């Protein structure tokens, strides 16, 4: 899987060389390239923004640098197997299903905007050539797309075979299909008693059936309290 990031702050993506994703890069499972969008500017000030047509506050990212970056990175031939992910506050919510689908992609280009956003013609042009996903990390406002791209990257790449040491752990996570899309149950480790708090007895019983039942009940109760929207049968 090749991941490209178009951004005016490429240093944001230096962290992808650390930990699990770093190992995936070292193992050749993932190939990461961060690009400074100003590479595709031609004026002395390396300008990437301009005033919004129709007025309004702030600045909008000019289309030209993006178009020239697309030309260099992707060429002009349409290829629906290339996924262009555009983090945006107006995007559809990024969910585990999106991460799962994108984990099968061979190529993902993240377009990280700043200012008030990217000239919409960039999205229109990209949509004619590649598979475009306008996605939002959540219902809050960030200053740009980089942090969202990092979070989406981790959610996607950890699902790629060979990246996680123990793929079985994926099936027991919140939002996973094996968990019926419910929140994950509380987890514990040693010691059995810590500062007056004990590990639930059932988890120390060695009775796998009772443990599985307790975990299912915990998941449903936690989901009922915190995320009733995830419950389908109530
Ligand atoms: N994904 C995602 C996001 C963003 C986001 C993403 C890309 C850009 C580019 C520019 N901005 C700043 C901005 C633009 C317009 N309105 C408000 C702020 C961004 C925010 N904010 N919140 C999220 N969940």
């Amino acid at each position: 899987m090749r991941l490209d990031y178009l951004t005016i702050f490429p240093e944001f993506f230096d962290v992808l060389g650390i930990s699990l994703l770093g190992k995936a890069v070292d193992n050749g499972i993932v190939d990461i390239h961060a690009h400074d969008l100003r590479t595709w500017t031609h004026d002395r000030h390396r300008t990437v923004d301009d005033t919004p047509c129709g007025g309004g506050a702030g600045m909008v990212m000019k289309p030209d640098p993006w178009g020239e970056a697309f030309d260099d990175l992707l060429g002009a031939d349409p290829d629906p197997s290339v996924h262009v992910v555009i983090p945006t506050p107006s995007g559809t919510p990024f969910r585990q299903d999106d991460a799962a689908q994108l984990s099968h992609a061979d190529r993902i280009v993240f377009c990280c905007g700043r200012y008030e956003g990217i000239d919409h013609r960039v999205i229109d042009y990209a949509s004619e050539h590649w598979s475009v996903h306008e996605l939002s990390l959540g219902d809050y406002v960030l200053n740009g797309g980089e942090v969202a791209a990092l979070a989406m990257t981790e959610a996607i790449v950890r699902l790629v075979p060979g990246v996680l040491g123990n793929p079985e752990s994926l099936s027991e996570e919140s939002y996973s299909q094996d968990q019926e899309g419910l929140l994950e149950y509380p987890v514990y480790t040693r010691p059995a008693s810590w500062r007056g708090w004990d590990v639930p007895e059932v988890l120390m019983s060695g009775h796998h059936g009772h443990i599985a039942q307790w975990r299912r009940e915990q998941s449903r109760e936690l989901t009922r309290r915190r995320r009733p929207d995830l419950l389908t049968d109530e």
Side-chain angles (χ1 to χ4, degrees):
M1 175 185 276
R2 173 167 169 152
L3 302 173
D4 289 275
Y5 302 83
L6 283 169
T7 168
I8 60 173
F9 297 120
E11 57 275 21
F12 253 98
F13 300 96
D14 292 348
V15 299
L16 292 179
I18 302 169
S19 183
L20 267 182
L21 297 197
K23 288 191 179 67
V25 172
D26 295 342
N27 295 339
I29 298 172
V30 177
D31 186 18
I32 291 176
H33 302 264
H35 311 273
D36 185 344
L37 187 68
R38 295 186 196 277
T39 304
W40 291 281
T41 62
H42 308 289
D43 62 302
R44 189 156 57 93
H45 297 294
R46 312 188 78 199
T47 308
V48 292
D49 62 318
D50 201 342
T51 52
C53 294
M59 302 292 274
V60 172
M61 299 194 89
K62 294 157 54 77
D64 280 341
W66 295 94
E68 292 188 28
F70 287 156
D71 292 346
D72 281 359
L73 293 181
L74 298 172
D77 297 334
D79 182 353
S81 76
V82 172
H83 294 263
V84 175
V85 175
I86 303 167
T88 170
S90 59
T92 55
F94 177 73
R95 301 180 69 85
Q96 190 66 20
D97 285 349
D98 299 302
Q101 284 176 27
L102 288 165
S103 71
H104 299 293
D106 288 327
R107 181 117 197 236
I108 304 175
V109 179
F110 287 90
C111 298
C112 304
R114 281 273 153 169
Y115 307 100
E116 293 307 309
I118 304 171
D119 184 303
H120 200 274
R121 290 168 293 179
V122 172
I123 294 149
D124 295 334
Y125 175 85
S127 299
E128 283 180 337
H129 292 74
W130 308 291
S131 298
V132 170
H133 310 260
E134 293 182 79
L135 297 171
S136 170
L137 195 59
D139 295 341
Y140 37 79
V141 180
L142 303 170
N143 286 337
E146 287 81 6
V147 167
L150 282 170
M152 293 173 185
T153 296
E154 182 157 303
I156 293 163
V157 172
R158 67 193 301 274
L159 299 178
V160 174
V163 173
L164 281 189
N166 174 18
E168 286 176 23
S169 61
L170 289 174
S171 63
E172 298 179 352
E173 294 180 336
S174 294
Y175 314 108
S176 72
Q177 286 312 313
D178 297 42
Q179 284 291 308
E180 304 164 17
L182 301 178
L183 300 182
E184 197 171 335
Y185 46 79
V187 291
Y188 300 82
T189 185
R190 291 173 292 195
S193 188
W194 177 76
R195 296 189 178 188
W197 294 92
D198 297 342
V199 172
E201 276 184 43
V202 66
L203 298 181
M204 309 301 280
S205 69
H207 193 298
H208 298 300
H210 291 173
I211 291 170
Q213 178 62 25
W214 180 85
R215 285 174 168 172
R216 276 193 297 275
E217 289 166 354
Q218 290 293 311
S219 284
R220 292 193 68 78
E221 176 54 29
L222 202 54
T223 307
R224 192 175 295 119
R225 272 193 286 122
R226 293 182 181 168
R227 290 295 305 275
D229 59 297
L230 295 177
L231 290 174
T232 51
D233 57 356
E234 291 195 353

PDB file of all heavy atoms in Angstrom, residues 182-186 188 214 217-231 234:
ATOM      1  N   LEU A 182     -20.593  -3.189  18.798  1.00  0.00           N
ATOM      2  CA  LEU A 182     -20.757  -2.599  20.142  1.00  0.00           C
ATOM      3  C   LEU A 182     -19.418  -2.080  20.661  1.00  0.00           C
ATOM      4  O   LEU A 182     -18.363  -2.378  20.117  1.00  0.00           O
ATOM      5  CB  LEU A 182     -21.297  -3.657  21.102  1.00  0.00           C
ATOM      6  CG  LEU A 182     -22.642  -4.287  20.732  1.00  0.00           C
ATOM      7  CD1 LEU A 182     -23.035  -5.354  21.760  1.00  0.00           C
ATOM      8  CD2 LEU A 182     -23.705  -3.207  20.635  1.00  0.00           C
ATOM      9  N   LEU A 183     -19.479  -1.310  21.745  1.00  0.00           N
ATOM     10  CA  LEU A 183     -18.254  -0.829  22.386  1.00  0.00           C
ATOM     11  C   LEU A 183     -17.550  -1.983  23.096  1.00  0.00           C
ATOM     12  O   LEU A 183     -18.194  -2.918  23.569  1.00  0.00           O
ATOM     13  CB  LEU A 183     -18.581   0.286  23.382  1.00  0.00           C
ATOM     14  CG  LEU A 183     -19.257   1.536  22.800  1.00  0.00           C
ATOM     15  CD1 LEU A 183     -19.466   2.560  23.906  1.00  0.00           C
ATOM     16  CD2 LEU A 183     -18.455   2.091  21.650  1.00  0.00           C
ATOM     17  N   GLU A 184     -16.244  -1.879  23.169  1.00  0.00           N
ATOM     18  CA  GLU A 184     -15.450  -2.964  23.770  1.00  0.00           C
ATOM     19  C   GLU A 184     -15.660  -3.009  25.282  1.00  0.00           C
ATOM     20  O   GLU A 184     -15.814  -1.966  25.930  1.00  0.00           O
ATOM     21  CB  GLU A 184     -13.976  -2.708  23.460  1.00  0.00           C
ATOM     22  CG  GLU A 184     -13.069  -3.918  23.656  1.00  0.00           C
ATOM     23  CD  GLU A 184     -11.658  -3.665  23.118  1.00  0.00           C
ATOM     24  OE1 GLU A 184     -11.508  -2.819  22.210  1.00  0.00           O
ATOM     25  OE2 GLU A 184     -10.730  -4.292  23.619  1.00  0.00           O
ATOM     26  N   TYR A 185     -15.655  -4.216  25.821  1.00  0.00           N
ATOM     27  CA  TYR A 185     -15.807  -4.413  27.275  1.00  0.00           C
ATOM     28  C   TYR A 185     -14.558  -3.887  28.006  1.00  0.00           C
ATOM     29  O   TYR A 185     -13.493  -3.732  27.380  1.00  0.00           O
ATOM     30  CB  TYR A 185     -15.993  -5.910  27.601  1.00  0.00           C
ATOM     31  CG  TYR A 185     -14.999  -6.795  26.872  1.00  0.00           C
ATOM     32  CD1 TYR A 185     -13.689  -6.932  27.327  1.00  0.00           C
ATOM     33  CD2 TYR A 185     -15.363  -7.470  25.694  1.00  0.00           C
ATOM     34  CE1 TYR A 185     -12.767  -7.700  26.653  1.00  0.00           C
ATOM     35  CE2 TYR A 185     -14.451  -8.260  25.017  1.00  0.00           C
ATOM     36  CZ  TYR A 185     -13.158  -8.372  25.492  1.00  0.00           C
ATOM     37  OH  TYR A 185     -12.249  -9.144  24.820  1.00  0.00           O
ATOM     38  N   PRO A 186     -14.686  -3.630  29.325  1.00  0.00           N
ATOM     39  CA  PRO A 186     -13.517  -3.155  30.105  1.00  0.00           C
ATOM     40  C   PRO A 186     -12.429  -4.237  30.166  1.00  0.00           C
ATOM     41  O   PRO A 186     -12.752  -5.420  30.198  1.00  0.00           O
ATOM     42  CB  PRO A 186     -14.096  -2.912  31.505  1.00  0.00           C
ATOM     43  CG  PRO A 186     -15.557  -2.863  31.340  1.00  0.00           C
ATOM     44  CD  PRO A 186     -15.891  -3.708  30.146  1.00  0.00           C
ATOM     45  N   TYR A 188      -8.659  -5.717  31.919  1.00  0.00           N
ATOM     46  CA  TYR A 188      -7.892  -5.727  33.171  1.00  0.00           C
ATOM     47  C   TYR A 188      -6.625  -6.559  32.971  1.00  0.00           C
ATOM     48  O   TYR A 188      -6.555  -7.400  32.089  1.00  0.00           O
ATOM     49  CB  TYR A 188      -8.704  -6.372  34.304  1.00  0.00           C
ATOM     50  CG  TYR A 188     -10.003  -5.675  34.615  1.00  0.00           C
ATOM     51  CD1 TYR A 188     -11.151  -5.908  33.863  1.00  0.00           C
ATOM     52  CD2 TYR A 188     -10.084  -4.763  35.663  1.00  0.00           C
ATOM     53  CE1 TYR A 188     -12.343  -5.263  34.140  1.00  0.00           C
ATOM     54  CE2 TYR A 188     -11.278  -4.116  35.960  1.00  0.00           C
ATOM     55  CZ  TYR A 188     -12.394  -4.371  35.189  1.00  0.00           C
ATOM     56  OH  TYR A 188     -13.584  -3.729  35.477  1.00  0.00           O
ATOM     57  N   TRP A 214     -19.998 -12.499  30.435  1.00  0.00           N
ATOM     58  CA  TRP A 214     -19.788 -11.250  31.176  1.00  0.00           C
ATOM     59  C   TRP A 214     -19.334 -10.160  30.224  1.00  0.00           C
ATOM     60  O   TRP A 214     -19.814  -9.018  30.277  1.00  0.00           O
ATOM     61  CB  TRP A 214     -18.738 -11.466  32.267  1.00  0.00           C
ATOM     62  CG  TRP A 214     -18.434 -10.254  33.107  1.00  0.00           C
ATOM     63  CD1 TRP A 214     -19.096  -9.815  34.214  1.00  0.00           C
ATOM     64  CD2 TRP A 214     -17.382  -9.308  32.876  1.00  0.00           C
ATOM     65  NE1 TRP A 214     -18.532  -8.659  34.699  1.00  0.00           N
ATOM     66  CE2 TRP A 214     -17.466  -8.326  33.895  1.00  0.00           C
ATOM     67  CE3 TRP A 214     -16.363  -9.184  31.901  1.00  0.00           C
ATOM     68  CZ2 TRP A 214     -16.580  -7.240  33.978  1.00  0.00           C
ATOM     69  CZ3 TRP A 214     -15.477  -8.113  31.988  1.00  0.00           C
ATOM     70  CH2 TRP A 214     -15.587  -7.165  33.014  1.00  0.00           C
ATOM     71  N   GLU A 217     -22.215  -8.902  28.125  1.00  0.00           N
ATOM     72  CA  GLU A 217     -23.105  -8.054  28.935  1.00  0.00           C
ATOM     73  C   GLU A 217     -22.481  -6.673  29.171  1.00  0.00           C
ATOM     74  O   GLU A 217     -23.136  -5.644  29.078  1.00  0.00           O
ATOM     75  CB  GLU A 217     -23.411  -8.730  30.279  1.00  0.00           C
ATOM     76  CG  GLU A 217     -24.318  -9.942  30.169  1.00  0.00           C
ATOM     77  CD  GLU A 217     -24.314 -10.780  31.444  1.00  0.00           C
ATOM     78  OE1 GLU A 217     -23.501 -10.453  32.359  1.00  0.00           O
ATOM     79  OE2 GLU A 217     -25.077 -11.748  31.502  1.00  0.00           O
ATOM     80  N   GLN A 218     -21.185  -6.634  29.431  1.00  0.00           N
ATOM     81  CA  GLN A 218     -20.484  -5.371  29.659  1.00  0.00           C
ATOM     82  C   GLN A 218     -20.523  -4.517  28.395  1.00  0.00           C
ATOM     83  O   GLN A 218     -20.763  -3.305  28.465  1.00  0.00           O
ATOM     84  CB  GLN A 218     -19.030  -5.648  30.076  1.00  0.00           C
ATOM     85  CG  GLN A 218     -18.865  -6.254  31.451  1.00  0.00           C
ATOM     86  CD  GLN A 218     -19.267  -5.307  32.566  1.00  0.00           C
ATOM     87  OE1 GLN A 218     -18.837  -4.146  32.590  1.00  0.00           O
ATOM     88  NE2 GLN A 218     -20.109  -5.782  33.476  1.00  0.00           N
ATOM     89  N   SER A 219     -20.304  -5.170  27.249  1.00  0.00           N
ATOM     90  CA  SER A 219     -20.308  -4.424  25.975  1.00  0.00           C
ATOM     91  C   SER A 219     -21.677  -3.800  25.729  1.00  0.00           C
ATOM     92  O   SER A 219     -21.792  -2.617  25.386  1.00  0.00           O
ATOM     93  CB  SER A 219     -19.942  -5.363  24.812  1.00  0.00           C
ATOM     94  OG  SER A 219     -18.561  -5.627  24.814  1.00  0.00           O
ATOM     95  N   ARG A 220     -22.716  -4.587  25.958  1.00  0.00           N
ATOM     96  CA  ARG A 220     -24.058  -4.074  25.679  1.00  0.00           C
ATOM     97  C   ARG A 220     -24.429  -2.945  26.643  1.00  0.00           C
ATOM     98  O   ARG A 220     -24.962  -1.908  26.253  1.00  0.00           O
ATOM     99  CB  ARG A 220     -25.107  -5.200  25.764  1.00  0.00           C
ATOM    100  CG  ARG A 220     -24.954  -6.225  24.656  1.00  0.00           C
ATOM    101  CD  ARG A 220     -26.166  -7.127  24.567  1.00  0.00           C
ATOM    102  NE  ARG A 220     -27.347  -6.409  24.110  1.00  0.00           N
ATOM    103  CZ  ARG A 220     -27.574  -6.089  22.823  1.00  0.00           C
ATOM    104  NH1 ARG A 220     -26.681  -6.413  21.902  1.00  0.00           N
ATOM    105  NH2 ARG A 220     -28.655  -5.443  22.468  1.00  0.00           N
ATOM    106  N   GLU A 221     -24.056  -3.127  27.920  1.00  0.00           N
ATOM    107  CA  GLU A 221     -24.402  -2.101  28.928  1.00  0.00           C
ATOM    108  C   GLU A 221     -23.646  -0.803  28.637  1.00  0.00           C
ATOM    109  O   GLU A 221     -24.183   0.300  28.645  1.00  0.00           O
ATOM    110  CB  GLU A 221     -24.071  -2.614  30.329  1.00  0.00           C
ATOM    111  CG  GLU A 221     -24.308  -1.598  31.436  1.00  0.00           C
ATOM    112  CD  GLU A 221     -25.722  -1.021  31.418  1.00  0.00           C
ATOM    113  OE1 GLU A 221     -26.655  -1.728  30.962  1.00  0.00           O
ATOM    114  OE2 GLU A 221     -25.889   0.165  31.811  1.00  0.00           O
ATOM    115  N   LEU A 222     -22.368  -0.952  28.309  1.00  0.00           N
ATOM    116  CA  LEU A 222     -21.543   0.231  28.010  1.00  0.00           C
ATOM    117  C   LEU A 222     -22.092   0.953  26.776  1.00  0.00           C
ATOM    118  O   LEU A 222     -22.215   2.179  26.742  1.00  0.00           O
ATOM    119  CB  LEU A 222     -20.096  -0.220  27.764  1.00  0.00           C
ATOM    120  CG  LEU A 222     -18.979   0.800  27.932  1.00  0.00           C
ATOM    121  CD1 LEU A 222     -19.025   1.465  29.294  1.00  0.00           C
ATOM    122  CD2 LEU A 222     -17.627   0.147  27.693  1.00  0.00           C
ATOM    123  N   THR A 223     -22.472   0.167  25.783  1.00  0.00           N
ATOM    124  CA  THR A 223     -23.002   0.749  24.549  1.00  0.00           C
ATOM    125  C   THR A 223     -24.358   1.410  24.818  1.00  0.00           C
ATOM    126  O   THR A 223     -24.606   2.532  24.343  1.00  0.00           O
ATOM    127  CB  THR A 223     -23.155  -0.339  23.467  1.00  0.00           C
ATOM    128  OG1 THR A 223     -21.909  -1.033  23.312  1.00  0.00           O
ATOM    129  CG2 THR A 223     -23.560   0.277  22.138  1.00  0.00           C
ATOM    130  N   ARG A 224     -25.171   0.765  25.640  1.00  0.00           N
ATOM    131  CA  ARG A 224     -26.494   1.343  25.963  1.00  0.00           C
ATOM    132  C   ARG A 224     -26.327   2.701  26.635  1.00  0.00           C
ATOM    133  O   ARG A 224     -27.025   3.657  26.337  1.00  0.00           O
ATOM    134  CB  ARG A 224     -27.265   0.370  26.869  1.00  0.00           C
ATOM    135  CG  ARG A 224     -28.746   0.682  27.053  1.00  0.00           C
ATOM    136  CD  ARG A 224     -29.452  -0.384  27.866  1.00  0.00           C
ATOM    137  NE  ARG A 224     -29.464  -1.678  27.155  1.00  0.00           N
ATOM    138  CZ  ARG A 224     -28.900  -2.794  27.599  1.00  0.00           C
ATOM    139  NH1 ARG A 224     -28.279  -2.795  28.770  1.00  0.00           N
ATOM    140  NH2 ARG A 224     -28.948  -3.914  26.881  1.00  0.00           N
ATOM    141  N   ARG A 225     -25.318   2.785  27.527  1.00  0.00           N
ATOM    142  CA  ARG A 225     -25.117   4.040  28.265  1.00  0.00           C
ATOM    143  C   ARG A 225     -24.452   5.109  27.420  1.00  0.00           C
ATOM    144  O   ARG A 225     -24.857   6.274  27.424  1.00  0.00           O
ATOM    145  CB  ARG A 225     -24.248   3.776  29.510  1.00  0.00           C
ATOM    146  CG  ARG A 225     -25.064   3.381  30.731  1.00  0.00           C
ATOM    147  CD  ARG A 225     -24.246   3.427  32.009  1.00  0.00           C
ATOM    148  NE  ARG A 225     -23.312   2.307  32.108  1.00  0.00           N
ATOM    149  CZ  ARG A 225     -21.992   2.443  32.243  1.00  0.00           C
ATOM    150  NH1 ARG A 225     -21.461   3.647  32.271  1.00  0.00           N
ATOM    151  NH2 ARG A 225     -21.204   1.394  32.333  1.00  0.00           N
ATOM    152  N   ARG A 226     -23.428   4.724  26.643  1.00  0.00           N
ATOM    153  CA  ARG A 226     -22.610   5.753  25.974  1.00  0.00           C
ATOM    154  C   ARG A 226     -22.960   5.956  24.507  1.00  0.00           C
ATOM    155  O   ARG A 226     -22.794   7.052  23.980  1.00  0.00           O
ATOM    156  CB  ARG A 226     -21.135   5.390  26.084  1.00  0.00           C
ATOM    157  CG  ARG A 226     -20.611   5.460  27.502  1.00  0.00           C
ATOM    158  CD  ARG A 226     -19.150   5.136  27.587  1.00  0.00           C
ATOM    159  NE  ARG A 226     -18.666   5.191  28.975  1.00  0.00           N
ATOM    160  CZ  ARG A 226     -17.470   4.720  29.346  1.00  0.00           C
ATOM    161  NH1 ARG A 226     -16.658   4.165  28.444  1.00  0.00           N
ATOM    162  NH2 ARG A 226     -17.084   4.800  30.606  1.00  0.00           N
ATOM    163  N   ARG A 227     -23.438   4.886  23.859  1.00  0.00           N
ATOM    164  CA  ARG A 227     -23.675   4.988  22.418  1.00  0.00           C
ATOM    165  C   ARG A 227     -24.936   4.230  22.019  1.00  0.00           C
ATOM    166  O   ARG A 227     -24.909   3.309  21.223  1.00  0.00           O
ATOM    167  CB  ARG A 227     -22.466   4.437  21.653  1.00  0.00           C
ATOM    168  CG  ARG A 227     -21.201   5.269  21.727  1.00  0.00           C
ATOM    169  CD  ARG A 227     -21.347   6.625  21.061  1.00  0.00           C
ATOM    170  NE  ARG A 227     -21.784   6.507  19.671  1.00  0.00           N
ATOM    171  CZ  ARG A 227     -20.930   6.309  18.655  1.00  0.00           C
ATOM    172  NH1 ARG A 227     -19.641   6.150  18.884  1.00  0.00           N
ATOM    173  NH2 ARG A 227     -21.394   6.249  17.421  1.00  0.00           N
ATOM    174  N   PRO A 228     -26.123   4.674  22.556  1.00  0.00           N
ATOM    175  CA  PRO A 228     -27.367   3.954  22.219  1.00  0.00           C
ATOM    176  C   PRO A 228     -27.600   3.936  20.705  1.00  0.00           C
ATOM    177  O   PRO A 228     -28.275   3.054  20.190  1.00  0.00           O
ATOM    178  CB  PRO A 228     -28.443   4.754  22.954  1.00  0.00           C
ATOM    179  CG  PRO A 228     -27.827   6.056  23.309  1.00  0.00           C
ATOM    180  CD  PRO A 228     -26.367   5.792  23.493  1.00  0.00           C
ATOM    181  N   ASP A 229     -26.990   4.878  19.989  1.00  0.00           N
ATOM    182  CA  ASP A 229     -27.167   4.904  18.537  1.00  0.00           C
ATOM    183  C   ASP A 229     -26.589   3.672  17.845  1.00  0.00           C
ATOM    184  O   ASP A 229     -26.957   3.356  16.714  1.00  0.00           O
ATOM    185  CB  ASP A 229     -26.515   6.180  17.954  1.00  0.00           C
ATOM    186  CG  ASP A 229     -25.022   6.247  18.289  1.00  0.00           C
ATOM    187  OD1 ASP A 229     -24.683   6.316  19.497  1.00  0.00           O
ATOM    188  OD2 ASP A 229     -24.190   6.177  17.359  1.00  0.00           O
ATOM    189  N   LEU A 230     -25.671   2.985  18.547  1.00  0.00           N
ATOM    190  CA  LEU A 230     -25.060   1.796  17.936  1.00  0.00           C
ATOM    191  C   LEU A 230     -25.899   0.541  18.155  1.00  0.00           C
ATOM    192  O   LEU A 230     -25.644  -0.488  17.537  1.00  0.00           O
ATOM    193  CB  LEU A 230     -23.658   1.564  18.533  1.00  0.00           C
ATOM    194  CG  LEU A 230     -22.612   2.639  18.256  1.00  0.00           C
ATOM    195  CD1 LEU A 230     -21.308   2.293  18.971  1.00  0.00           C
ATOM    196  CD2 LEU A 230     -22.364   2.769  16.757  1.00  0.00           C
ATOM    197  N   LEU A 231     -26.921   0.658  19.049  1.00  0.00           N
ATOM    198  CA  LEU A 231     -27.740  -0.528  19.332  1.00  0.00           C
ATOM    199  C   LEU A 231     -28.793  -0.667  18.251  1.00  0.00           C
ATOM    200  O   LEU A 231     -29.552   0.271  17.993  1.00  0.00           O
ATOM    201  CB  LEU A 231     -28.403  -0.402  20.709  1.00  0.00           C
ATOM    202  CG  LEU A 231     -27.446  -0.511  21.905  1.00  0.00           C
ATOM    203  CD1 LEU A 231     -28.182  -0.226  23.203  1.00  0.00           C
ATOM    204  CD2 LEU A 231     -26.792  -1.894  21.936  1.00  0.00           C
ATOM    205  N   GLU A 234     -32.890  -2.107  19.785  1.00  0.00           N
ATOM    206  CA  GLU A 234     -33.638  -1.442  20.867  1.00  0.00           C
ATOM    207  C   GLU A 234     -34.253  -0.146  20.361  1.00  0.00           C
ATOM    208  O   GLU A 234     -33.721   0.435  19.432  1.00  0.00           O
ATOM    209  CB  GLU A 234     -32.683  -1.157  22.043  1.00  0.00           C
ATOM    210  CG  GLU A 234     -32.235  -2.432  22.734  1.00  0.00           C
ATOM    211  CD  GLU A 234     -31.601  -2.095  24.088  1.00  0.00           C
ATOM    212  OE1 GLU A 234     -31.412  -0.886  24.374  1.00  0.00           O
ATOM    213  OE2 GLU A 234     -31.320  -3.023  24.831  1.00  0.00           O
TER     214      GLU A 234
END
